[in-house]
Amino acid sequence: MSQNPAPHEPTRNEPGSHEPTRHESGSHEPTRHEPAAADGAGPAAADGTAPGPAAADGAGPAPTAAAADAVIEIEGLHKTFGDLHVLRDCELTVRPGEVCVLVGPSGSGKSTLLRCINQLEDPTAGTVRIDGVLQGYEPEPLADGRWQRLGSKQIAAQRARIGMVFQRFHLFPHLTALANVMEAPVQVLGAPRASAERRARELLDRVGLADRADHYPSELSGGQQQRVAIARALAMDPELMLFDEPTSALDPELVSEVLTVLKDLAADGMTMVVVTHEMGFAREVADQVVFMDEGRIIERGSPQQVIDHPRSTRLAEFISSVL
């Protein structure tokens, strides 16, 4: 697959414009996190020629028929950090029960793409929809064409539907494995402690750690800590799981125990997007493999298509370097 031509640089905010935080609500002029078309129509395609989340007549978002059943629908996604253009015109569709594996060299934008899906980063241009719902903004523009940012509670509600597991485990060191898994359901969802504990024990058993429930993170191996982190994410009953290189911080002999959990989740029908360099896992589990380089999606397809029969020289070079 040939690479797309370089897109126009996304619109920037004027000097002195207010820079809102993720949790601010209410309408305001678009900033670099909310690039507008030239007429102020709202989050736009990077070339500024058409509004992003809505049709040109402002009718509101309307997923295409081909993507109507998508869990994730990403269109025209760009992300810049100053002069660094990290994501360039990325398009991605993930359907229910699919496992999408993102591969590519370090610095290619894979982790940033995950963080945009989960609203840990605000796209510079383009849109992310989960189950057809525009993320981070009200579904329709205001009468004057501006787009209204969601408030912090609304954004938190959108993010609660997505579980994410990072390279590092980020467990609370002063809590046992059981308490780490219970924490979010009790504190965020208001679940009764008895039911949260019951569910936490079920999840620890699911990831093979029923006998480590009362151990603290310092008493667990890296692989065990990562499995606790997976159980903690599952405790929120997400419909989608994102994994950002979940085995990269582990000793080689501990990788397989984490990959086994991911394989079990895939077999149970969990929709997942996984950033990994484990090509054997991608070949065995992925429904869709996406190769990224320099912020662009270069190739996508089945594991057989992407791994065994790369079409671009760049992908062939990458595959030969990791296999």
Side-chain angles (χ1 to χ4, degrees), residues 62-311:
T64 62
D69 63 341
V71 175
I72 303 172
E73 182 70 13
I74 297 173
E75 297 178 325
L77 195 70
H78 291 256
K79 178 62 182 176
T80 60
F81 295 99
D83 294 331
L84 183 62
H85 206 150
V86 179
L87 296 177
R88 299 173 180 266
D89 199 24
C90 293
E91 310 268 340
L92 181 66
T93 299
V94 181
R95 290 185 165 78
E98 278 191 348
V99 177
C100 175
V101 173
L102 305 181
V103 300
S106 297
S108 59
K110 306 181 300 295
S111 295
T112 302
L113 183 59
L114 282 194
R115 293 174 67 85
C116 286
I117 294 173
N118 202 27
Q119 301 190 60
L120 294 175
E121 296 288 352
D122 297 324
T124 305
T127 58
V128 177
R129 289 182 172 88
I130 304 296
D131 287 335
V133 177
L134 182 65
Q135 300 295 284
Y137 293 88
E138 295 287 352
E140 297 185 11
L142 299 173
D144 61 5
R146 291 180 299 165
W147 289 84
Q148 189 171 16
R149 197 82 168 96
L150 295 179
S152 59
K153 290 184 178 180
Q154 293 167 298
I155 288 176
Q158 287 186 336
R159 293 186 62 207
R161 303 169 63 193
I162 304 171
M164 188 163 181
V165 177
F166 301 88
Q167 298 177 30
R168 296 293 177 178
F169 325 122
H170 300 300
L171 300 179
F172 295 112
H174 62 290
L175 298 179
T176 64
L178 179 65
N180 264 282
V181 177
M182 290 174 55
E183 183 73 5
V186 171
Q187 299 298 330
V188 178
L189 301 181
R193 293 194 66 84
S195 61
E197 178 177 346
R198 183 166 56 252
R199 174 64 172 157
R201 290 189 182 278
E202 292 172 355
L203 290 170
L204 287 173
D205 182 59
R206 183 177 183 180
V207 299
L209 292 175
D211 60 341
R212 295 291 187 270
D214 297 324
H215 287 62
Y216 290 89
S218 61
E219 301 172 319
L220 302 174
S221 70
Q224 290 170 337
Q225 290 184 59
Q226 189 64 293
R227 284 185 282 160
V228 173
I230 294 172
R232 180 178 60 183
L234 292 173
M236 295 293 285
D237 291 322
E239 62 178 285
L240 165 66
M241 286 288 292
L242 308 176
F243 295 90
D244 187 6
E245 299 194 36
T247 61
S248 65
L250 301 179
D251 293 334
E253 64 268 22
L254 302 177
V255 168
S256 62
E257 61 189 55
V258 174
L259 293 181
T260 296
V261 174
L262 269 61
K263 292 174 186 178
D264 289 344
L265 290 175
D268 289 343
M270 174 64 74
T271 306
M272 300 193 294
V273 182
V274 184
V275 173
T276 185
H277 292 292
E278 299 291 337
M279 303 305 290
F281 170 82
R283 189 192 302 274
E284 180 180 351
V285 178
D287 298 293
Q288 176 182 192
V289 177
V290 175
F291 172 64
M292 297 185 66
D293 188 41
E294 296 183 347
R296 299 182 185 278
I297 292 177
I298 306 299
E299 292 193 37
R300 75 188 79 207
S302 69
Q304 292 72 29
Q305 291 171 324
V306 173
I307 299 174
D308 298 333
H309 302 287
R311 288 177 288 174

Side-chain angles (χ1 to χ4, degrees), residues 3 105 291 293 299 306-307 310-323:
Q3 295 187 13
F291 172 64
D293 188 41
E299 292 193 37
V306 173
I307 299 174
R311 288 177 288 174
S312 68
T313 301
R314 182 67 188 94
L315 175 55
E317 292 171 348
F318 174 78
I319 293 298
S320 66
S321 72
V322 296
L323 289 182

